[in-house]
């Protein structure tokens, strides 16, 4: 389970009342995971049942990983645990032996629409993305796999990809292990933290090595339900902030630059022909030969 849609189920700041309200408004099998308000290093998997009720199942985090109370199975990450029970219907049960099905993750709110944030992606995906960024100091921020609710700044250096954890505690974000407790810089939002260290250029890595954040390795993903917020965010990015390009111009440029693994399987030879140039609505967007719409009785002079 590697897609952001499948991994977006963790809600850091949702209450029990809000959880039950959201789940009641969704289909059977809808679920989310939230921190336990009563026990440290514990989480709660909340699921809407076929009976109409809501099940709340405690998840413990130990040195070995994550496990559901009174079960022997342990998983390295919360994502691995949820993926396992989604794929193996019948293994997760209520106290009355009723099977619990996990079908529809309730997606959490994104902490930012800034392009450095890549969401709940895996370490292997981070490596793949940063390897395509040639400039040293290129970075991105992802959700922590081992500490739900925290984040990780991943920075490309000449020798390796540095991973610096951003901790969340009592409404504040701060870099894990950066100096003594009273010296730690604390921030109210992810944007505030990232822009602070971008401005001051120096970030202290976990091994004591000073690392610079140079430029974000940009992402242009978002959940479909957030399209209006995304458009509002892009409309506020003025050309003066990004050279001579607006937010929407940058967005389309990124989409155009993205390499689709399947795109090499298709061809655009017909659209590239000289006689068909006037038939294409856009100069830089051409139809695939396999899926193009063939125009009949078309007059070039129209």
């Amino acid at each position: 389970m590697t897609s952001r849609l499948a991994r977006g189920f963790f809600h850091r700041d949702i209450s029990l009342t809000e959880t039950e309200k959201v789940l009641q408004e969704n289909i059977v099998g809808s679920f989310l995971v939230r921190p336990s308000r009563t026990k440290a290093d514990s989480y709660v998997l909340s699921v809407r049942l076929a009976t109409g009720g809501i099940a709340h199942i405690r998840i413990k985090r130990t040195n070995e990983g994550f496990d559901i109370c009174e079960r022997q199975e342990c998983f390295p990450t919360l994502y691995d645990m949820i993926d396992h029970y989604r794929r193996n219907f019948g293994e997760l049960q209520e106290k009355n032996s009723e099977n619990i099905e996990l079908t529809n993750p309730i997606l959490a709110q994104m902490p930012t629409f800034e392009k450095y944030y890549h969401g709940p992606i895996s370490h292997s995906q981070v490596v793949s993305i940063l390897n395509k960024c040639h400039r040293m100091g290129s970075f991105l921020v992802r959700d922590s796999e081992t500490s739900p609710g925290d984040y990780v700044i991943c920075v490309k250096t000449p020798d390796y990809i540095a991973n610096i954890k951003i901790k969340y505690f009592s409404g504040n974000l701060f870099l894990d292990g950066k100096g003594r407790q009273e010296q730690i810089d604390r921030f109210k939002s992810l944007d505030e933290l990232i822009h602070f260290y971008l401005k001051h250029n120096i970030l202290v890595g976990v091994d004591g090595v000073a690392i610079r954040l140079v430029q974000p390795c940009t992402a242009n993903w978002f959940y479909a339900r957030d399209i209006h917020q995304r458009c509002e965010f892009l409309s506020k990015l003025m050309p003066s902030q990004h050279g001579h390009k607006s937010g929407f111009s940058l967005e389309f440029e990124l989409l155009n630059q993205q390499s689709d693994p399947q795109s090499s399987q298709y061809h655009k030879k017909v659209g590239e022909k000289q006689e068909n140039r006037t038939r294409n609505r856009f100069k830089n967007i051409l139809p695939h030969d396999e899926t193009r719409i063939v125009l009949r009785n078309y007059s070039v002079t129209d």
Side-chain angles (χ1 to χ4, degrees), residues 1-3 6-10 31 33 45 59 64-68 73-88 91-92 102 120-125 144-148:
M1 181 175 66
T2 57
S3 74
R7 285 176 160 229
F9 54 76
F10 184 77
F31 70 94
V33 178
L45 168 62
I59 299 171
E64 288 73 36
F66 296 81
D67 66 77
I68 288 180
E73 293 174 283
C74 192
F75 301 87
T77 73
L78 198 56
Y79 303 130
D80 292 319
M81 169 182 283
I82 297 300
D83 186 38
H84 174 82
Y85 289 118
R86 290 189 73 179
R87 294 175 183 273
N88 296 277
E91 289 194 19
L92 188 62
L102 306 179
I121 61 175
S122 66
H123 175 71
S124 60
Q125 288 173 305
S144 171
E145 291 189 287
T146 55
S147 299

Side-chain angles (χ1 to χ4, degrees), residues 6 14 25 41 48 50 58 61 72 100 104 107 111 120 142 157 163 185 192 204 206 217 227 230 233 241 243 251 256:
I14 195 170
E25 293 172 349
D41 287 327
R48 183 175 180 187
R58 190 178 301 279
R61 184 176 68 179
Q72 295 181 346
I100 297 176
N104 178 46
L107 302 176
R142 63 176 174 87
T157 73
N163 295 287
D185 296 309
E192 187 181 338
V204 178
V206 292
C217 196
I227 188 168
R230 179 69 172 184
F233 170 77
Q241 296 175 269
E251 188 85 346
N256 198 37

Side-chain angles (χ1 to χ4, degrees), residues 60-189:
K60 291 194 303 183
R61 184 176 68 179
T62 65
N63 292 333
E64 288 73 36
F66 296 81
D67 66 77
I68 288 180
C69 295
E70 301 179 1
R71 288 180 176 269
Q72 295 181 346
E73 293 174 283
C74 192
F75 301 87
T77 73
L78 198 56
Y79 303 130
D80 292 319
M81 169 182 283
I82 297 300
D83 186 38
H84 174 82
Y85 289 118
R86 290 189 73 179
R87 294 175 183 273
N88 296 277
F89 177 68
E91 289 194 19
L92 188 62
Q93 295 182 331
E94 258 279 56
K95 293 180 180 179
N96 61 1
S97 298
E98 176 188 352
N99 289 331
I100 297 176
E101 188 173 15
L102 306 179
T103 58
N104 178 46
I106 302 299
L107 302 176
Q109 291 295 322
M110 293 172 60
T112 178
F113 283 107
E114 290 279 0
K115 294 185 181 297
Y116 63 77
Y117 178 65
H118 286 243
I121 61 175
S122 66
H123 175 71
S124 60
Q125 288 173 305
V126 168
V127 173
S128 176
I129 292 169
L130 286 178
N131 280 341
K132 295 175 183 176
C133 298
H134 302 295
R135 191 172 181 182
M136 293 300 115
S138 295
F139 72 95
L140 60 82
V141 176
R142 63 176 174 87
D143 294 352
S144 171
E145 291 189 287
T146 55
S147 299
D150 294 342
Y151 305 99
V152 181
I153 306 175
C154 305
V155 191
K156 184 170 186 174
T157 73
D159 302 314
Y160 60 96
I161 292 175
N163 295 287
I164 304 161
K165 183 171 287 187
I166 301 173
K167 298 287 290 181
Y168 175 85
F169 183 74
S170 297
N172 291 295
L173 293 164
F174 54 91
L175 297 187
D176 187 24
K178 187 179 184 298
R180 292 181 299 178
Q181 188 71 17
E182 64 273 15
Q183 296 176 328
I184 295 176
D185 296 309
R186 298 174 183 273
F187 307 89
K188 291 297 183 182
S189 71

Side-chain angles (χ1 to χ4, degrees), residues 16-29:
L16 173 61
T17 302
E18 291 171 320
T19 295
E20 295 190 337
K21 181 177 184 296
V22 168
L23 291 175
Q24 289 290 359
E25 293 172 349
N26 281 274
I27 62 174
V28 172

Side-chain angles (χ1 to χ4, degrees), residues 265-298:
Q265 302 175 15
Y266 304 102
H267 307 89
K268 303 177 182 178
K269 294 180 180 179
V270 176
E272 291 171 345
K273 288 183 177 180
Q274 181 68 32
E275 61 268 27
N276 287 331
R277 288 189 176 182
T278 58
R279 295 181 170 92
N280 298 319
R281 177 174 294 182
F282 303 104
K283 293 181 180 180
N284 61 337
I285 302 176
L286 301 178
H288 290 119
D289 296 344
E290 293 80 2
T291 58
R292 70 187 182 91
I293 297 174
V294 180
L295 300 179
R296 305 291 183 186
N297 301 320
Y298 175 80

